[in-house]
Amino acid sequence: MESRCVTPYSLPVHPPISFNARAARTMRERLGMAPGHVAYGMRASYGMSHVSPDHVTAWERGDALPTANEVTALAGALWCHPGELMGRPRTLLEHRLARGMSAEDVARLIGLDLDTYRRMEETGRWTGDKRQTANLGSVLKLPPRDFIAVTGHEEELARLLTEAVSTRWQAHVRAIAKLVAIDRRELQGPLRDMQQEYQALMAATLGWASTNATGEEGRRYLEHIVEHFWERLPEY
């Protein structure tokens, strides 16, 4: 991933937030506010005593990244939802912020003590049990694709999909449907198409005109099989 110059204005403990700098600037300008006004609002209403106009300017230019708490305060100062200042949520922390929920509330609702939940956010590794995992999906309203990513089940999904396209997809549709919580009838077409696509690549590899490049295409297909799967289910 391309590195960014994160100035001393922002030294987050958590991984960098997916921050939409352009959206932050656009919302500020629409409100007719200067960076100083935003910084004052963050200091006065959210206790962000360290925030100066230079912080706001640096965030809007992409020269610095706000922390999770700063994103929440910035959203409040700009009269918007935190999710409007972020890109597509990727991590547990980002999904929580996008929902405008506190770590305390999420931990309580899913049945975890706060310290344990915070460690999961910081490490990006979900270790909840079956009940807590189900509660997480409900509380954060995670669509299947995000639920699989946040709870760390992408590797298992990749394994099932690889077996499905390389053997008989019909034999794996039930397990895949259970894992992603999607009706198996909706998965039949995508799995069939993926199998045909992969088998076509492998058939070409075995043909008279086969090349190393063709074989590499088959391997790349399997490496990105989870992405291929979700591309065929855009509504999820």
Side-chain angles (χ1 to χ4, degrees), residues 77-91:
L78 294 174
W79 293 87
C80 69
H81 194 280
E84 296 178 73
L85 299 178
M86 300 165 59
R88 187 179 186 280
R90 304 160 302 176
T91 65

Side-chain angles (χ1 to χ4, degrees), residues 46-58:
Y46 298 93
M48 294 280 165
S49 58
H50 65 286
V51 174
S52 69
D54 288 343
H55 287 83
V56 177
T57 300

